[in-house]
């Protein structure tokens, strides 16, 4: 039995609110149950130095957690003067995952910056960030298209992410904090709409995990991600 | 005529949402028109080293702006590795202002941390932070009282804040970004419910301002703050 | 009775020594009693990036306190690796105040850097910095004029600053450390030679302060600043 | 055909030199072909603050690359003042992987620090670090045992790691730099001697990778890791 | 011929002003011609962690240069966020040199911090810092003695320092900036009152220097330091 | 009697291995007994900003110690976020010493970066770094010559370094850690192949040292450096 009473393959309620704030080219509040992340996409008509003159664009991501997003306040990284290791690891994952959605040549010499700021954290903030970040990215691309700034559509694939894990011996999807802090294995999966893997990061928190468990987890992830891809499509189909 | 069409003494629509997030002892979303700030109050059962063993508590504040709260993205301070001068100046103002609301002896040896994070910025973020921060603080004090952790009520005065300025030669209250970036004089006023001043910070952006203008601005501020104090009382009177 | 025996409206002895050091375009040692601040003005024939090509100049200020300027040694900020909040707040105030003295267009595309370093601190270091910094600035402008580097005079107004406060229930001017650490209210006022306000920063250290107290303090400040403006004029009239 | 001429399932020559330096409790130079990493294990008879008094030990890891380990010199992180994101990501992976080898209760209240410093980099530095780090860790545990500092053996499982990827459409094991910089997919696998997964981190560098490719890569990894586990055992069986 | 017209063995005018500021236990303005350094000695009744409980004291030094001490303004180290290499090198030299003056056991478990802040720089700031720092140190020891805080006198030797160099082929003493920036060899010598060396740091700025030149320079240094030791004694003999 | 049983004028066994790593233009492992330092020379076809357009090159050096090069692990400087004072002092010494070997005009507008990383530390790491760094530099110059990138040979003198000191009252050369941590005086000497001094840095660790001791130490250093210069020549004469 899961602490939340959910079935092993049941996601938490997913809610995607577009245009949550007014100024960003894409601004999405994504909720996976009590986890709430504000994802914005900002367009910068420049590329980083290592790409200058290469005729291609770039996407990068930053991640932050408001100090009191969690049960215990965490120190503000800006006050501490550096981002901690977990933050760095997560924002690199978000960046790689959403870069995979794009044809960087088709984007042209500009950068899209995805900011994921966690307003409330109940597990799964990195997978919510990727899933919501994709919608913000899609809105930013629409902005570019509506301003006639693109020759071809740089969005090549749809990307979403979910966590899976082994909790009390059972593979489960979309772990909340109560499960996550207690799971034997934790795996974050990022997939595209063709069913291919973009990222797969599995960690044994206790002992190691078997090949069969890995297969069961990736199957749960595949199914959960299909639902998330559908939620993204519905959000993007409606009025913002 | 103000860009927003408001009368010189008209505040923007004020909205105060308590328990905007679940985990903090006080959590308030305050909106001054399009300016939206999330203010949380967190209780820490410790005091800073300089107060150890003095039998009194402390309150401190931190301020941050999400990178895309504004029309142009600003660099994330955590990534940059330091808070900029404006941030430091603002969070010191918020801390001093809300400390003035408290009897630190009555609070006991604990610290209340006020975090003000701007989700959307349209001018007046520091005054919204103080006004919303007070409500979060009041909720945190209620939390302490309901847990029987206080012998006497440490809340000694109610505190709110508004900006005033000279725009196109006219004194106006609660400047939005369009006015603020164009005002000859900008003044932030923090007052308590007895009509006394907690902080007064006036800056001539062009030239200097006359004594009479100062009087007109403080009068506008007094009136605006009365409305804000009433809005705080109504918010605190209702169900969270 | 004030700790120093001064009358409520009496400044401490003011001493302004020009050319205190040899290399800066302006170099002023200013003394407000035991408070001694070395203010230098340096000319840099560049502007910051955000002003490039705009046909105007800039003025900025930095503030520091020698570690043993005070009764207790404070940590050297260079060793600690960052400036503390108070330093940041003060140097922003000095910069804004002295920028107000200038017509930045008339200055041309160059920057004047005001460095205020406190050799000895007995209260009022920020107001001494502004008052002495103005004289250093005036000397730097004379340097530019004598080298025929200016078409018109960029000095548009004379600027000085003093602190006022409520000590033992009485409004007093130019607080020394003994008063300042004990005052109920502390206000720093920056004015120009037309009697207009450049900056007004009042803080209630205990409780709040009344409108009438604010009026009494601004009146004391106005009078004190007139004396300081006169002291600046005399210093600038003589041989350096 | 691989650039090195190796078969798809062929590791590079593996060489493990124990006691490469004299002072560390474990000191191992591991070579995967031209990749050379010095792994040391240091024992500290303390635990980090968050574990004090919990009756258990800790293991953590740090990773560094000498500036000229690579074809192009990279900036020294100590001079730059911070570790870059890649370094942080790698050292967290090494730490988690080797922590999985230990029963932290059996280790007692002490910390083992694994330092992995890359002397020469030709791809696969993180997998070499984990594989060599295990041997250094085993030597440090022997040191503790020989000094009668342990009641029971804290080494619960043997851990090794290898990279796999899709290069020119073919799954291959132990990618060198020429392959790695050109691979469509890159996966780092950490396993124990029971064939269980400790960590699995797959990244699609271009497009996405299919489930079947993932299976082929994990199978190659399993086989390669068996060889590495054997190489570790042989190294630990001999005189250091 | 030296730029200043001095004889090869002539020091610049030396001036030592005790009690230049009021609060430090020792406060000395030392002038070597146009070089002016404020040296303060502060007593802290603690020792650094590595000395706790060892029954001995410590002395350490910090060095700083006001941004406009020089012809060209240098960046403020506090603003830049770190001390530069030259500063670190100099403050370590000052600390070692003045530590040599003390019997640290006799000092007891306290730390003396020497702060050397350059108000005006015309070459030789490090040797002026050591020479003036000694006088500040001696005053701080007198403070401890007059407060009966010492059982025995910890001052074991008198310490002073001068620079020597090869300028236009001639060995000269106490180089000013015009000579220093043009010298083939530069040597800083620290000696005690028995004629022994505390520190000797010679650097060939162009080519290398011969043994005979080294002998000539040390002889010039010995003679210059005798004059400086006498100047220290005279300063300490008078009223502060 | 020296702890190692060596005669007062006997160096430890010296071993110089060229091409210790593959990618750097010069890569030398130098061993002074148990002290082992990897010195690489990297060529960068740019000069630092202060030399742009001056028609000359530059050489700079960085120094680091692997955390467990020593008996007690030291904190990784990259993790701590800054280089400590000793590191800064040493790398400045290495840079000045090896710059003295070069005619910077003849080098042309390029920079040579010398990285000295201590794999194992048993005293004398800075002198080993200079001595090994010279060989790496010579190999980098050969690389430039073999690629026809130089018009004339920029190597003007051969440079080597050794430590000398007073141990148990006796002047000795090339101190190991056991001697160094116990010596009354410690002196690092850098000389060229004409017998001239490049750098001379003597420090009295206890008391002061006499002129005669200084002469005895420089004589020991001269002799030891002759042997090191010969070892460099032999290393450079053979196949790498």
């Amino acid at each position: 039995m899961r602490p939340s009473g959910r079935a092993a393959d049941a996601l938490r309620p997913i809610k995607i609110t577009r245009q949550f704030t007014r100024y960003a080219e894409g601004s999405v509040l994504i909720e996976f149950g009590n986890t709430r992340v504000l994802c914005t996409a900002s367009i910068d008509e420049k590329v980083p130095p290592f790409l200058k003159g290469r005729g291609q664009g770039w996407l990068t991501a930053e991640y932050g957690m408001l100090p009191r997003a969690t049960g215990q306040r965490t120190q503000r990284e800006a006050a501490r003067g550096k981002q901690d290791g977990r933050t760095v690891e997560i924002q690199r994952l978000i960046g790689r995952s959403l870069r995979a959605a794009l044809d960087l040549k088709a984007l042209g010499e500009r950068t899209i910056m995805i900011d994921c700021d966690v307003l409330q954290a109940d597990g799964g903030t990195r997978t919510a960030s990727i899933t919501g970040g994709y919608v913000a990215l899609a809105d930013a691309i629409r902005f570019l298209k509506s301003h006639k700034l693109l020759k071809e559509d740089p969005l090549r694939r749809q990307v979403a992410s979910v966590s899976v894990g082994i909790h009390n011996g059972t593979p489960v999807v979309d772990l909340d904090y109560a499960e996550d802090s207690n799971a034997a294995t934790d795996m974050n999966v990022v997939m595209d709409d063709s069913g291919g893997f973009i990222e797969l990061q599995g960690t044994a928190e206790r002992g190691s995990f078997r090949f069969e468990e890995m297969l069961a987890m990736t199957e749960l992830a595949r199914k959960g991600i299909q639902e998330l891809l559908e939620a993204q499509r519905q959000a993007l189909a409606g009025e913002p």
Side-chain angles (χ1 to χ4, degrees), chain A:
Chain A
M1 189 64 170
R2 304 178 68 172
S4 59
R6 277 187 281 152
D9 64 350
L11 301 178
R12 290 175 284 181
I14 305 301
K15 191 167 161 202
I16 297 175
T17 308
R18 286 164 66 207
Q19 294 197 1
F20 184 73
T21 56
R22 312 168 58 93
Y23 303 120
E25 285 75 34
S27 173
V28 168
L29 182 76
I30 188 158
E31 299 172 69
F32 280 22
N34 281 323
T35 288
R36 289 200 262 164
V37 185
L38 172 53
C39 308
T40 60
S42 300
I43 297 166
D44 185 6
E45 294 291 324
K46 284 199 302 270
V47 286
F50 70 92
L51 283 180
K52 251 175 208 160
R54 304 267 224 94
Q56 71 159 92
W58 191 243
L59 177 146
T60 186
E62 287 184 358
Y63 171 94
M65 196 142 76
L66 295 197
R68 197 55 197 281
T70 45
Q72 290 279 92
R73 185 179 184 270
T74 53
Q75 206 187 347
R76 185 178 293 268
E77 291 183 327
R80 199 176 145 231
K82 58 182 282 194
Q83 297 180 300
D84 75 15
R86 179 183 167 276
T87 295
V88 169
E89 201 175 75
I90 291 175
Q91 68 193 10
R92 285 168 60 86
L93 172 65
I94 300 170
R96 284 196 308 268
S97 298
L98 295 180
R99 219 145 44 226
L102 288 177
D103 177 338
L104 295 170
K105 291 267 177 218
L107 179 59
E109 286 222 1
R110 57 175 60 91
T111 298
I112 297 182
M113 168 60 86
I114 304 293
D115 285 291
C116 299
D117 285 277
V118 179
L119 304 188
Q120 195 169 273
D122 186 29
T125 63
R126 76 188 74 188
T127 56
S129 294
I130 293 165
T131 305
Y134 173 80
V135 180
L137 169 60
D139 269 337
I141 297 298
R142 287 182 183 185
F143 174 93
L144 287 169
K145 283 199 250 180
S146 71
H147 286 71
K148 314 275 185 228
L149 290 162
L150 291 172
K151 289 189 196 129
E152 50 176 327
D153 189 342
L155 265 186
R156 288 300 148 96
R157 52 175 58 80
Q158 192 184 340
V159 170
S161 175
V162 81
S163 70
V164 282
I166 308 289
H167 182 259
N168 283 345
T170 308
V172 293
V173 73
D174 189 22
L175 290 74
D176 57 29
Y177 180 73
E179 287 171 318
D180 190 38
S181 54
N182 206 24
T185 295
D186 178 30
M187 189 149 84
N188 293 294
V189 182
V190 187
M191 294 180 90
D192 66 14
D193 52 346
S194 78
F197 292 99
I198 305 288
E199 283 270 343
L200 188 66
Q201 295 198 343
T203 298
E205 302 287 348
R206 287 197 306 277
S208 58
F209 59 94
R210 318 299 318 165
F211 185 71
E212 297 69 32
E213 291 174 316
M214 195 264 279
L215 294 188
M217 288 190 287
T218 52
E219 176 53 22
L220 274 177
R222 196 191 52 74
K223 193 169 158 298
I225 285 173
Q226 279 181 339
E227 293 178 43
L228 292 168
L229 292 164
E230 179 55 28
Q232 289 175 330
R233 280 188 295 261
Q234 285 187 11
L236 285 163
E239 286 297 301

